[in-house]
Amino acid sequence: MRAYRVMDFGGKAGLTEIDRPEPGPGEVLLRIAACGLNFADLLMVKGEYQERPDPPFTLGMEVAGRVEALGAGVSGLAPGDRVAVFAGQGGLAEWGVFPADRCVRLPDVMPFDHAAAFLITYGTSHLALKHRARLQPGETLLVTGAAGGVGLTAVEIGKAMGARVIASARGADKLAVAQAAGADHLIDSDGADLRAAVKALGGADVVYDAIGGDTFMAALRATNPEGRLLPIGFAGGAVPQIPANLLLVKNLTVMGVYWGGYMAFKPRILADSIAELMGMYAAGQLKPHIGQTLPLDRAEEAMDLLRSRKSTGKVVVTM
């Protein structure tokens, strides 16, 4: 089978032929239909992600497809079932073996490309805004990188939770995407003074930041007293050093959010969140925005869309 593999950290990943795997105890063999790309995939190529598998390994954290075979001891699933999986790795391939307890059944109305664009981004935003920040109706939510994979879902979910949403993104085209997802106010990060623009709108009660660096610091200074800040990622390249004196003076709270980490210590919270999100999707409340869909033989081009930050919403690779 074909798979897009990292052979060495820091080197260039590429498409290669490997043997099709067989499921072991507690695993399923999935015929993969689609794989959603994430910023974390770029970090994994360089060995800079929190989870660091030993090369060689197949990229692709988020997959959807059809169960083909079951390993020993697997119950509750059957060949032919349509599922999505937070895989961690192994998604950019024609087949993959994954833990059965990570498989999520898909609603009949959810196509594979939507499923591959759903778990991590919607799961991260839902967990961050509902479980961590306790976002309340009527509060003001600032989302940076608002047209990206996670940012766009934060706009959509924040609006569904009754917040007033301020979206910051680069350029008119990306801002239009954020507005279509429900943003109430738009800030062009290319030219605007983010701190001044947010303060002019009354400040932020909750900040959902996927950019880091100077963007996070500007958002921090525009946060209202007792505000909550969620550092989601560092797409801008710099990890902010947070001045504790500002947290003290303004009674602010900074909350770390690593969605995948909950699998190890509070998996029930993830399961409940995913079930709620699937229900919202089935009810027509959520609609993944897929900016680009490319076939597996153009996986490197798909990765470049993430590197250049030219994509909106999710980039999906189909098999």
Side-chain angles (χ1 to χ4, degrees), residues 25 43 50 70 77-78 82 95 99 165-166 176 194 205 221 252:
L43 298 179
Q50 296 98 303
L70 308 178
L77 291 170
R82 301 169 66 253
W95 281 272
V165 180
I166 303 172
L194 181 65
D205 300 306
R221 295 177 185 279
L252 302 179

Side-chain angles (χ1 to χ4, degrees), residues 22-30 66-81 83 85 96-105:
E22 295 295 330
E27 296 179 333
V28 299
L29 173 67
L30 203 68
R66 199 176 294 276
V67 175
E68 287 226 339
L70 308 178
V74 174
S75 60
L77 291 170
D81 285 349
V83 298
V85 189
V97 164
F98 307 107
D101 60 6
R102 290 195 177 194
C103 293
V104 178
R105 290 178 183 275

Side-chain angles (χ1 to χ4, degrees), residues 8-24:
D8 254 318
F9 290 131
K12 192 170 184 179
L15 202 59
T16 187
E17 291 276 342
I18 61 172
D19 291 337
R20 195 178 91 169
E22 295 295 330

Side-chain angles (χ1 to χ4, degrees), residues 263-300:
M263 285 192 169
F265 71 96
K266 284 189 178 178
R268 184 74 254 164
I269 288 175
L270 282 193
D272 290 346
S273 173
I274 290 168
E276 185 174 343
L277 288 167
M278 288 295 184
M280 292 172 72
Y281 180 94
Q285 294 176 272
L286 303 175
K287 185 177 181 181
H289 176 88
I290 299 171
Q292 290 86 10
T293 302
L294 297 171
L296 181 59
D297 58 9
R298 294 172 65 187
E300 182 59 29

